[in-house]
Amino acid sequence: FPYTTLFRSLSVDVSAPLAALNVPVLALAARDDPIVPAALTEATFTPRAHTQLVWQTQGGHALGHVAVDDCAAAVQTFLERV
């Protein structure tokens, strides 16, 4: 069942709330996410000065469950910098 078909009609724009944040933001994403395409993730998080986007090649939309060690390492590195 293609998730992109199911979620195609949903529209969520988080750019305004994200831009309003005055704190560092870490975004973890997988390039093979079938729900949130890489282009959308990049458009949402890349242009933000206070946001760091960390990519994993695989992990889908359940990146935190699939790549636990990689996500934990990214969080650790991020927290050491802030």
Side-chain angles (χ1 to χ4, degrees):
F1 179 75
Y3 289 108
T4 53
T5 301
L6 176 64
F7 292 102
R8 188 172 286 142
S9 63
L10 297 177
S11 177
V12 178
D13 184 359
V14 298
S15 57
L18 184 59
L21 292 177
N22 288 324
V23 297
V25 174
L26 173 64
L28 304 174
R31 294 209 180 268
D32 68 343
D33 188 332
I35 297 173
V36 182
L40 177 59
T41 300
E42 288 176 358
T44 302
F45 293 104
T46 301
R48 310 292 177 215
H50 60 278
T51 300
Q52 178 183 353
L53 176 57
V54 176
W55 285 105
Q56 296 296 324
T57 305
Q58 296 180 338
H61 200 66
L63 180 62
H65 295 285
V66 175
V68 176
D69 293 339
D70 292 331
C71 289
V75 170
Q76 180 69 35
T77 300
F78 177 77
L79 291 176
E80 289 171 357
R81 294 181 185 159
V82 295

